[in-house]
Amino acid sequence: MKRVVLGIIFFSSIAQAISLHEIIDTSLAKNPSLESINERIQANKHTIEVSDQFENPQLLITKNTLGTEQAMSKSVLSVQQKIPFYNKRATNKKIALAQDEVLSEKLQAAKTKLVEKIKSEAYTIWKLGELYKIIDEYVTLTKQNVDLYESYTSINENQHIGIMKAELSLSDLQIQKSALRAKIASAYARLSYLAAFKVKHLDISLQIGKKPNLALLQKNLINNPDIKIKEKELRKQNAKLQMADINNYPDFNLIAGYNYRENFDNYFTFGLGINLPIYGTEDYKEEEARALVLSAASQKADTQISVNATLASYYAQMLSAYEIYHIVQDDALPQVAHMFELSSSSISIGSDLFKYIDVLFQKLDLEQKSIKAVANYNLAEAKISQLQGEIQ
């Protein structure tokens, strides 16, 4: 059923606009980079299955060179089985399970990073599209007012300069539109790569949210994927230290043999072998494992500091975008709108087109800043969501 749904999403995306939510769901289900980690997890499942198994026994066949008339002439069939020291197999399985947890957290981290990249490209497409639409509107508006100006006034030399400025401004707007078309195409190409299928039309709408709260954002870092990976790696290293400690105790070898003598009675032999850790190798390995535990703990602490610093940076970007948006919308645009109305109404009586174009482009600049602020707010929010381990 899941494949059917994904197939419907895939084919519908070719013909019509697709939502960001649909792109994320599809990408999480079929992205090759995630599949690679999934395969590693499946491979580790087999490692878990064999981690607490006994080693294969050894079968030995020996024969001496004495003649069969001698009692010592014999052929021996013997079996050796290594018996690990108490709790060694369970600890070995603990290491394999810890590795499974590490891989699972890495998969989750990869998902959060993929979702953040998809959101970033989608928000970039929205920003570029909105900039393109508003520039297109201003091209039309400028042309209309130039035509209006020419129809109501007799053009003298000074007024001709105003028209030339307007035409130069139109050329600049057309250049911006061309550059935006290229950027939009590039952004769609990057989004298609991340989504693992061709995205031609994205259905998305963005707006500014509420003012960010740093304390609340920090509180939600408990699910940060990088920190959780370091926690699992520390747990795995502790299991390895436990194994290094157990390795100081010897394993045993149980030996059983059947001795065949052609002209004499056959008999069984039984024995016990033991490894003697007398050279200090295990002690050195235990100290190495202990140092690696301390290293893993330090890496976890460093990751925590790094994540907090990164959050502070994204928070500053989000707050700045929020403030810029409200400065533009609440203060600047109402003032410019009034100036724009005055200059626009004066066109019909032959006032200076030069000044009108200046006001027009001031308004355009502010509206562009507003669009960029909305996009930057959402981009910072997407990055913070990734820090918090979210995949939607």
Side-chain angles (χ1 to χ4, degrees), residues 331-345:
D331 300 329
L333 275 179
Q335 297 179 33
V336 174
H338 182 61
M339 294 171 58
F340 182 71
E341 288 174 3
L342 293 175
S343 60
S344 180
S345 62

Side-chain angles (χ1 to χ4, degrees), residues 246-360:
I246 295 175
N247 282 336
N248 281 290
Y249 300 92
D251 297 326
F252 296 90
N253 283 286
L254 297 180
I255 306 170
Y258 180 76
N259 297 263
Y260 170 76
R261 296 188 296 179
E262 188 173 339
N263 296 316
F264 300 90
D265 291 337
N266 303 325
Y267 60 93
F268 290 96
T269 56
F270 300 94
L272 178 67
I274 187 171
N275 297 325
L276 300 177
I278 61 176
Y279 296 115
T281 302
E282 289 75 13
D283 291 332
Y284 289 122
K285 289 184 177 181
E286 183 178 356
E287 289 304 314
E288 177 188 12
R290 199 178 306 278
L292 291 174
V293 168
L294 295 176
S295 174
S298 297
Q299 288 178 17
K300 178 187 172 184
D302 181 69
T303 300
Q304 180 72 64
I305 295 172
S306 175
V307 168
N308 286 332
T310 303
L311 174 64
S313 174
Y314 293 153
Y315 164 77
Q317 295 173 29
M318 192 174 178
L319 180 62
S320 175
Y322 176 88
E323 292 174 343
I324 290 172
Y325 176 82
H326 283 284
I327 290 171
V328 171
Q329 291 292 328
D330 302 339
D331 300 329
L333 275 179
Q335 297 179 33
V336 174
H338 182 61
M339 294 171 58
F340 182 71
E341 288 174 3
L342 293 175
S343 60
S344 180
S345 62
S346 66
I347 290 294
S348 60
I349 58 175
S351 294
D352 194 354
L353 181 62
F354 199 95
K355 292 180 180 179
Y356 168 79
I357 294 298
D358 283 341
V359 176
L360 182 66

